[in-house]
Amino acid sequence: MAAATNQARIGRIGLYAFLVTTCLFFSIPLLVVISTSFKPLSEVRDFSVFQLPAQMTAAAWGKAWQSACTGTECAGLHIAFWNSVRIVIPSVIISVLVGSLNGYALSHWRVRGADTLMLALILGAFIPYQVIIFPLVKIFSTVGIFGSVACIIAVHVLFGLPVMTLLFRNFYVGIPNELVKAARVDGAGFWRIFLFIILPLSVNMLIVAAILQTTGIWNDYLFGLIFAGHNNTPMTVELMELATTSTGVVEYNVSTAAALLTALPPLLLYFFSGRYFVRGITAGAVKG
Amino acid sequence: MDDAVAREPRALTGTLAERSTPRRAASPRVREVAARLALVPTVLVMAVCFYGSIVWTVYISMTRSSMLPEYGFAGLFQYNRLFNSLSWQTTFDNMFIFGFLDVVGTLGVGILLAVVVDRHVRFESLFRTILLYPLALSFIVTGLAWQWILSPTIGIEHFVRGLGFPHFVFDWITQPETSIYTLVFAGVWHQSGFIMVVILAGLRGIDPEIWRATRVDGIPVWRAYVSVILPMLRPLIVTCIVLIVIAVVKSYDLVVAMTGGGPGFSSDLPAKFVIDYVFQRANIGEASAAAVIMLGSVIAIMGPYLHFEMVRKR
């Protein structure tokens, strides 16, 4: 008996040892980047990212924000930060609202061809972007908005469409149709029911979807690179520019600070909204 | 939090499988023009931007287009050229090497973590928070961080040499033979937390009676997981594999940030190959052929999977 409990205790210890080691391994990349970002330039020559800073300074953060060179311009990432904000906010609002509207129409109303549309959306969620990117460039050039903020917003809404629609459709299937029917008896139409019954019932799902989209769009690189145009490049694109622009000594302290600045918004969102974040990624995993 | 998480993976597999839900059959919905009008923009966008674009790309892949689209049919000309080029052969092989190792690594680590956390550990939410945070980071930040860690000049190699091993070598990322493997580190690091969450939700949904039965039979816990519990989660694990594979096929940012596809094109992947050929080499025909191969790879995975899921749900 004693031997059995002993064995169990050793097992428990092994369990925790494994978990702690894994967590350490998982946090190393972040810790390493944080520590490097606080080093002064003198410690960046002939150093390893694993060495802790001897002197702490926030100078690299200031430079990454204000004056680091990205390509030929040397104004740091602050312009790109605001570009990203300008892109993310409308893209998220539009794609979430369109998704919930579609989900509602597909779950509570009889629409001919609904099954076909659902299948098209499911498959659409898995199509590699590379297959459609060049035709999209042509389409947006023809319309005349290629390389503008409107263009990059349209692209994000477009690629968010399948996942957002499916997310809300799955959620709304759980809302009893009787609610909608009762409202119709009272004389409410499609839009009124959506605005005054369905939307208020889906606050949680709206938050989940908004977090999912905010993270995804903030972290996007490919679409920003191709569709945003030179005056609206988002932060991820500028970060790559910054990290690959070198004039003599590579200032890793500035690059790491810039990477952290770029990562900060989604990280904060993750740490402060964990529950919603997890729901979003598991439900929206169709996005891959 | 737990039931919220536990519900979702089912919603996910649900989306993939069910098309028309029987739940509503009892209460037929009403028709209204407004509902159809509301869906018109979506239908148009799906038809033109998604499926129209696919048709266009597939057709262009069968022409001699280079800088500008040409519409004369040329059969498999581009595919021939593609598979005869050394850079595509490497890229195509890389997709399988990276894909296989990434699936094995991510799934292995993810399942192991899920099982460990499932053993009712204390501070579970703290562990989960740490294991899942990489998912909040972009592939650009992930790739850069791993590039710095693996770089011989500033990363592990330099550090270990400083500890008193002057001949220590760890330069996989700069060697053409090994650079593709370094992507696996970052891929596993980024995604295994997600797999853990999905599998954990499945484990939490296991009927306690089954656990009681294994205890009555005196089956050791690890044995119960391997032979009873995990096999019960097979559909969920298959879903995870599909999701990882799709992510592999789509991998673009990670390669750009970590290795740039190099040295040479030794760690290139199809997603990056296509973008490079369209926007830098202005070779639309060959790029389209490569994109169609990507699409084919996704269909080859999704087709059997969707079929399997629909059969299972009936």
Side-chain angles (χ1 to χ4, degrees):
Chain A
M1 197 63 213
T5 44
N6 246 347
Q7 213 177 2
R9 191 172 303 153
I10 291 171
R12 292 304 280 180
I13 293 171
L15 215 65
Y16 281 103
F18 172 76
L19 258 185
V20 170
T21 317
T22 317
C23 282
L24 213 62
F25 172 76
F26 269 71
S27 31
I28 279 175
L30 187 63
L31 297 179
V32 154
V33 171
I34 293 175
S35 108
T36 306
S37 73
F38 285 108
K39 284 177 183 171
L41 188 60
S42 58
E43 286 183 50
V44 170
R45 277 174 248 266
D46 192 43
F47 84 121
S48 151
V49 284
F50 291 98
Q51 279 149 3
L52 292 175
Q55 266 183 305
M56 292 267 278
T57 163
W61 285 73
K63 186 165 184 192
W65 180 253
Q66 281 291 351
S67 60
C69 295
T70 56
T72 50
E73 275 171 63
C74 294
L77 288 186
H78 73 280
I79 299 171
F81 172 84
W82 292 112
N83 286 344
S84 277
V85 172
R86 281 214 317 268
I87 294 168
V88 167
I89 291 176
S91 306
V92 170
I93 293 175
I94 299 172
S95 65
V96 168
L97 285 181
V98 170
S100 93
L101 177 66
N102 283 344
Y104 158 68
L106 283 169
S107 57
H108 286 280
W109 297 84
R110 215 137 61 106
V111 183
R112 219 182 326 144
D115 281 353
T116 317
L117 182 58
M118 282 290 294
L119 189 66
L121 286 166
I122 292 172
L123 296 178
F126 290 96
I127 294 169
Y129 307 138
Q130 277 72 9
V131 190
I132 20 190
I133 270 191
F134 186 68
L136 275 188
V137 171
K138 302 281 283 181
I139 292 172
F140 284 116
S141 309
T142 314
V143 180
I145 59 166
F146 181 68
S148 65
V149 179
C151 177
I152 180 72
I153 292 171
V155 169
H156 283 304
V157 171
L158 204 90
F159 281 99
L161 202 54
V163 174
M164 286 295 109
T165 303
L166 295 173
L167 197 72
F168 278 102
R169 187 258 177 203
N170 276 348
F171 177 71
Y172 289 146
V173 161
I175 292 179
N177 193 230
E178 282 67 30
L179 261 179
V180 175
K181 276 202 281 184
R184 264 185 69 88
V185 173
D186 292 342
F190 177 84
W191 293 103
R192 247 164 114 66
I193 297 173
F194 178 61
L195 286 177
F196 295 105
I197 296 176
I198 298 294
L199 273 187
L201 280 175
S202 34
V203 174
N204 269 350
M205 207 55 197
L206 290 170
I207 297 174
V208 167
I211 289 175
L212 182 68
Q213 283 297 83
T214 307
T215 315
I217 296 173
W218 187 276
N219 286 343
D220 157 71
Y221 171 77
L222 176 59
F223 298 144
L225 181 71
I226 293 170
F227 292 97
H230 290 297
N231 298 322
N232 320 302
T233 41
M235 220 171 168
T236 45
V237 177
E238 287 296 304
L239 168 65
M240 266 314 283
E241 280 282 323
L242 186 149
T244 48
T245 305
S246 70
T247 46
V249 179
V250 190
E251 298 175 75
Y252 285 107
N253 54 349
V254 178
S255 304
T256 46
L260 284 171
L261 282 170
T262 312
L264 217 50
L267 268 185
L268 289 176
L269 200 60
Y270 168 67
F271 284 119
F272 288 109
S273 70
R275 192 162 67 95
Y276 293 107
F277 184 92
V278 173
R279 269 189 79 178
I281 49 148
T282 42
V286 238
K287 207 173 177 181
Chain B
M1 164 156 189
D2 282 328
D3 17 294
V5 175
R7 265 200 316 273
E8 298 311 339
R10 253 169 277 141
L12 158 75
T13 42
T15 330
L16 298 173
E18 47 171 319
R19 283 169 55 196
S20 52
T21 32
R23 191 189 300 202
R24 273 175 281 102
S27 54
R29 293 156 293 163
V30 251
R31 287 182 194 279
E32 192 174 300
V33 186
R36 241 185 291 167
L37 282 181
L39 288 170
V40 166
T42 305
V43 172
L44 281 180
V45 161
M46 291 309 289
V48 175
C49 296
F50 279 74
Y51 293 94
S53 296
I54 291 176
V55 171
W56 190 88
T57 302
V58 171
Y59 185 77
I60 286 298
S61 77
M62 293 186 281
T63 65
R64 284 181 189 270
S65 306
S66 56
M67 261 215 352
L68 294 167
E70 281 170 38
Y71 295 97
F73 186 76
L76 296 179
F77 169 77
Q78 300 287 4
Y79 293 89
N80 255 327
R81 204 161 67 160
L82 190 65
F83 277 94
N84 279 322
S85 82
L86 198 61
S87 57
W88 172 256
Q89 284 169 18
T90 311
T91 305
F92 192 63
D93 291 348
N94 279 346
M95 181 172 73
F96 290 93
I97 298 173
F98 176 55
F100 176 76
L101 294 174
D102 195 48
V103 167
V104 171
T106 309
L107 205 61
V109 175
I111 291 179
L112 196 62
L113 286 173
V115 167
V116 170
V117 174
D118 187 42
R119 298 315 302 160
H120 305 288
V121 290
R122 246 188 282 179
F123 313 116
E124 181 189 319
S125 70
L126 174 70
F127 285 128
R128 272 157 70 134
T129 306
I130 296 176
L131 294 170
L132 202 60
Y133 89 88
L135 209 64
L137 299 178
S138 61
F139 277 117
I140 293 295
V141 171
T142 303
L144 286 174
W146 279 93
Q147 185 205 322
W148 293 324
I149 289 173
L150 296 173
S151 146
T153 45
I154 63 162
I156 296 173
E157 183 179 296
H158 185 104
F159 180 64
V160 175
R161 284 186 181 187
L163 291 178
F165 303 91
H167 302 296
F168 178 81
V169 175
F170 184 56
D171 57 355
W172 284 18
I173 200 163
T174 56
Q175 300 302 317
E177 298 81 26
T178 47
S179 58
I180 182 71
Y181 302 113
T182 60
L183 295 176
V184 180
F185 289 110
V188 172
W189 179 77
H190 193 261
Q191 285 219 300
S192 45
F194 165 65
I195 299 300
M196 173 195 73
V197 169
V198 174
I199 299 289
L200 186 61
L203 290 173
R204 293 276 153 90
I206 294 278
D207 188 347
E209 282 303 314
I210 290 167
W211 274 113
R212 205 162 303 154
T214 62
R215 237 170 292 140
V216 169
D217 289 346
I219 303 172
V221 173
W222 67 270
R223 194 63 217 275
Y225 273 113
V226 174
S227 323
V228 182
I229 306 294
L230 288 176
M232 288 177 70
L233 295 184
R234 194 179 298 146
L236 196 60
I237 294 175
V238 172
T239 303
C240 287
I241 295 177
V242 169
L243 292 175
I244 303 172
V245 170
I246 303 282
V248 166
V249 177
K250 286 182 173 178
S251 288
Y252 172 77
D253 322 18
L254 184 64
V255 193
V256 169
M258 213 171 144
T259 63
F265 39 77
S266 61
S267 61
D268 211 353
L269 284 173
K272 181 168 181 297
F273 183 96
V274 173
I275 300 293
D276 289 350
Y277 267 62
V278 174
F279 294 99
Q280 283 164 24
R281 304 195 181 196
N283 189 340
I284 301 165
E286 220 170 320
S288 298
V292 172
I293 303 282
M294 285 179 69
L295 182 64
S297 315
V298 170
I299 293 174
I301 298 288
M302 287 304 294
Y305 173 68
L306 283 179
H307 180 76
F308 163 82
E309 279 289 310
M310 280 177 197
V311 169
R312 197 171 62 86
K313 286 273 148 78
R314 288 229 173 101

